[in-house]
Amino acid sequence: MVDVESIRKDFPILGKGVIYLDSAASSLTPEQVVLKEMEFYREYRANVERGLHRFSQRASEEYETAHEEVAHFIGAKGRENVAMVRNTTEAINLVANSLDWEKGDKIVTTVIEHHSNYITWLRVAQRHGCTVEVVRSNREGIFDLAEFEQSIDDSTRLVAVTHVSNVLGCIQPIKEICSIAHEHGALMLADGAQGVPHIKTDVMEMGVDFLAFSGHKMLGPTGSGGLYIAEEQLESTEPLCIGGGTIRDVSLNSYELAVPPQKFEAGTPAIAQVIGLGEACRYLTGVGMDEVKRWDERLAEKLAEGLSEIDGVEIFGPSDPRQRVGLVSFNVRDMNPHDVALSMDTEYNIAVRSGHHCALPLMKELFGLPDGNARASTYLYNTLEEIDVLLGAVEDIARV
Ligand SMILES: Cc1ncc(COP(=O)(O)O)c(C=O)c1O
């Protein structure tokens, strides 16, 4: 089991007296990652792949090593399969803007998606005359695979599904959905924003063509993230931007793009952030992703069970804790979720998120709740005692 007490020492911010239960929005960052980023600025700050001097050489080496580390963390073959981008949203937009869409192409997505993996496809549909078909889940966020079998057909160009819902915490059978997509010659994109931080991810095993993820949700710096691109799609996937750093050759009237990953990295990359993300991957690997998952399940179980026992509290998501990560959203009586979150912060020093969580289709279609709900989300540094404090606070609030 995760040694939480020792892990907590790596997060000095936890000494500020706040119980941080908002890691699904953005995780905290351990000292090792902060120091690694600072090392770049203090020891060898320079641009990468551009200079022959020693700072540039060191920066390039550290950047490439980190890039390799990130690729390894998600089970990719090598760093050429991972485009470093700012976040999940940019990664998804890269795919949306790089495919040569044709009128009539179908995109299959689901009702539980984050806006980043939803409106992006609505825009593709508007721009290129494609259609978007939305697969619905039950109220727990669980899908019947037959629904995907029904929606995905030979006109489907892309299936875009989240690995883990940021509202319901439910884990989706990406591998199985991916098989259905591939049977029909469709591409598969998984939104890994909530999956990669919590579940050992192996893109080869999942079989996906694309996987988007954010560094800031997995102990890394803000401004770091990645898009995994399967070997077969590397050639045809167009970069979002081109310019310095992306070319093999340029003449007066033509240019030739470099090989991946350089072709995806236009301009000076987020050097310190990528180096920091590499360190975050090392940190998580050191703890062990299986351990992270086990601890997550323990926290989620206590959280979900405890909340569901409080009079006047409704919780959302799967009833089986093994089907969710450490993330439980809930509402207290008919209180506005923002009032609940504000009270948690000001009166109990607990940070939770509230609102629609950028998932309005889910909130409206499954629950008729445009104001959304409150959400407590955990990570490897949270303790069972912190969950007890949260449960006590919710009990107090529900009593009013
Ligand atoms: C499931 C999911 N997808 C996409 C995103 C967007 O991530 P980012 O804001 O890092 O681009 C989030 C962020 O909360 C998310 O939870």
Side-chain angles (χ1 to χ4, degrees):
M1 201 50 95
V2 160
D3 180 356
V4 189
E5 281 321 311
S6 129
I7 284 172
R8 286 175 73 84
K9 295 196 182 95
D10 295 331
F11 294 80
I13 196 170
L14 290 169
K16 300 262 175 215
V18 170
I19 294 181
Y20 191 75
L21 291 169
D22 195 21
S23 293
S26 203
S27 75
L28 301 177
T29 311
E31 206 55 8
Q32 287 85 339
V33 172
V34 175
L35 290 175
K36 190 72 191 170
E37 263 199 282
M38 268 172 26
E39 182 188 70
F40 163 75
Y41 289 109
R42 287 178 170 158
E43 306 284 336
Y44 58 91
R45 193 201 186 291
N47 214 326
V48 288
E49 320 292 352
R50 282 156 174 80
L52 287 177
H53 58 79
R54 72 193 71 172
F55 280 7
S56 182
Q57 290 293 317
R58 169 90 189 272
S60 303
E61 274 164 28
E62 296 275 358
Y63 182 85
E64 284 168 22
T65 305
H67 198 158
E68 198 68 58
E69 196 86 41
V70 174
H72 184 69
F73 187 74
I74 57 163
K77 226 175 88 203
R79 70 186 178 92
E80 64 276 14
N81 298 99
V82 180
M84 299 311 307
V85 293
R86 281 184 305 143
N87 48 42
T88 302
T89 306
E90 186 174 314
I92 294 171
N93 274 271
L94 195 159
V95 176
N97 285 288
S98 90
L99 295 185
D100 54 340
W101 301 101
E102 284 179 17
K103 197 164 186 279
D105 281 348
K106 191 202 273 192
I107 299 159
V108 173
T109 187
T110 84
V111 71
I112 65 165
E113 302 305 316
H114 186 282
H115 296 160
S116 294
N117 196 32
Y118 197 83
I119 63 168
T120 327
W121 311 120
L122 295 185
R123 185 165 80 162
V124 167
Q126 283 161 8
R127 283 185 171 171
H128 302 279
C130 305
T131 56
V132 174
E133 192 158 323
V134 182
V135 181
R136 296 174 77 96
S137 67
N138 67 12
R139 279 172 64 90
E140 294 193 0
I142 312 290
F143 289 91
D144 182 350
L145 280 177
E147 300 272 343
F148 284 98
E149 268 158 8
Q150 217 159 52
S151 291
I152 301 169
D153 58 23
D154 291 351
S155 72
T156 307
R157 185 77 194 286
L158 180 81
V159 179
V161 179
T162 191
H163 189 192
V164 173
S165 158
N166 63 316
V167 179
L168 304 171
C170 46
I171 303 167
Q172 302 307 335
I174 292 295
K175 189 176 170 182
E176 287 73 13
I177 300 169
C178 189
S179 297
I180 304 171
H182 286 170
E183 270 167 32
H184 292 277
L187 296 168
M188 175 79 198
L189 177 145
D191 173 347
Q194 300 295 344
V196 175
H198 296 273
I199 302 169
K200 191 172 169 45
T201 301
D202 185 335
V203 284
M204 305 293 267
E205 153 83 9
M206 282 167 137
V208 292
D209 298 287
F210 304 104
L211 175 93
F213 57 100
S214 297
H216 69 94
K217 293 184 196 287
M218 48 186 284
L219 310 184
T222 55
S224 66
L227 173 69
Y228 161 77
I229 305 168
E231 202 69 19
E232 307 73 47
Q233 309 308 327
L234 274 178
E235 179 79 23
S236 59
T237 304
E238 285 284 319
L240 197 56
C241 301
I242 56 172
T246 62
I247 54 94
R248 196 202 305 263
D249 193 17
V250 184
S251 306
L252 215 48
N253 297 314
S254 65
Y255 66 88
E256 198 186 333
L257 287 178
V259 293
Q262 283 87 357
K263 84 166 182 179
F264 297 110
E265 303 198 343
T268 301
I271 306 169
Q273 289 88 332
V274 171
I275 290 172
L277 180 55
E279 189 65 23
C281 291
R282 265 192 291 277
Y283 187 94
L284 286 169
T285 304
V287 175
M289 285 307 288
D290 291 335
E291 299 298 303
V292 169
K293 173 96 173 22
R294 254 197 292 279
W295 187 237
D296 230 33
E297 280 170 2
R298 185 92 187 270
L299 293 166
E301 190 171 359
K302 186 171 172 69
L303 191 55
E305 258 181 37
L307 283 170
S308 58
E309 282 165 8
I310 301 173
D311 192 30
V313 171
E314 181 188 7
I315 71 161
F316 301 83
S319 37
D320 179 354
R322 283 164 309 176
Q323 284 185 301
R324 70 156 90 219
V325 299
L327 182 169
V328 182
S329 55
F330 60 97
N331 266 337
V332 182
R333 303 197 186 282
D334 56 357
M335 285 179 73
N336 186 298
H338 293 309
D339 291 338
V340 174
L342 208 59
S343 165
M344 296 278 238
D345 179 46
T346 54
E347 292 170 49
Y348 303 93
N349 300 317
I350 302 171
V352 296
R353 185 162 173 201
S354 54
H356 55 60
H357 314 297
C358 298
L360 272 170
L362 178 161
M363 288 295 180
K364 290 182 187 171
E365 295 296 317
L366 294 190
F367 304 111
L369 286 173
D371 286 340
N373 53 27
R375 179 187 72 188
S377 53
T378 63
Y379 212 179
L380 69 170
Y381 36 70
N382 288 118
T383 64
L384 295 168
E385 291 73 28
E386 287 183 317
I387 303 298
D388 277 329
V389 178
L390 171 112
L391 295 174
V394 176
E395 221 171 315
D396 274 359
I397 295 170
R399 211 178 288 130
V400 178

